[in-house]
Amino acid sequence: GERFAILGSGKSYVAVNVKNGQELWRVPWLTQFGVNAADPIWEGGQLFVSSGYGKGAALFKIDEDKRAVVWQNKEMRNQFNSSVLWQGFLYGIDGDASTKAALKCLEFRTGAVRWTHAGIGTGALTVADGKLIVLSERGELIVAPAAADGFKPIASAQVLGGKCWTVPALAHGRIYCRNADGDLVCVDVRQSK
């Protein structure tokens, strides 16, 4: 019943009490370069973690006195941008900037791959109103239903150039996208009344 924050380091993920900073539990997660950049996902007493550089992902069941691995695989390797969880499915970028990264959908409870979509690169995504908002590495903004049966875009536009690794942000009917050079665009997606 207490609020806690989960912090990642080069060696583990640690839950701390937000009131006093006291460590509640720790899950070791070692990577080749000591990089755990993607945020973990907490859902129903389970912790999803994912790291790039060939490490992969895992789902842990967290109890007060024990940690159990539910599943672990190399099907989702988030180098720096986090996956998102929507209605029991994980959507994220699998791969590193030096490899052919792809957008993937995995079952949260099993880690099984539901679909893979190439061509996004090491872009980023978020979810809103049941839709994936994806910014490809090359600056293409794509909107598609967050669905476990496949990636089926309903809208897309080339909005930026250069490397785009920043998660698109949605606020008040506008999608903000930024590239590595600091260029920012705002796409108005408000519905006319």
Side-chain angles (χ1 to χ4, degrees), residues 17-106:
N17 182 307
V18 296
K19 289 182 183 176
N20 59 24
Q22 178 184 359
E23 182 177 319
L24 302 172
W25 48 261
R26 174 181 299 261
V27 173
W29 189 252
L30 299 172
T31 60
Q32 182 180 5
F33 298 108
V35 177
N36 289 316
D39 291 330
I41 296 173
W42 177 259
E43 175 67 27
Q46 295 181 311
L47 177 72
F48 169 77
V49 298
S50 179
S51 299
Y53 309 104
K55 176 66 175 182
L59 184 67
F60 296 92
K61 174 92 172 122
I62 307 294
D63 288 326
E64 276 190 40
D65 57 346
K66 63 180 178 176
R67 321 290 167 254
V69 177
V70 177
W71 58 261
Q72 184 170 353
N73 64 36
K74 292 188 178 188
E75 296 295 346
M76 184 67 77
R77 296 160 297 166
N78 298 144
Q79 182 180 17
F80 36 78
N81 287 315
S82 308
S83 292
V84 294
L85 176 62
W86 177 254
Q87 296 185 338
F89 296 94
L90 292 160
Y91 301 90
I93 304 295
D94 171 45
D96 301 334
S98 62
T99 64
K100 290 189 184 247
L103 178 63
K104 280 189 176 180
C105 172
L106 273 64

Side-chain angles (χ1 to χ4, degrees), residues 122-161:
T122 51
L125 71 152
T126 190
V127 66
D129 194 28
K131 294 177 185 66
L132 297 175
I133 301 171
V134 180
L135 183 62
S136 79
E137 182 178 20
R138 293 176 312 281
E140 182 181 12
L141 182 63
I142 307 164
V143 178
D149 63 347
F151 185 66
K152 300 168 187 156
I154 56 175
S156 67
Q158 186 70 41
V159 298
L160 280 169

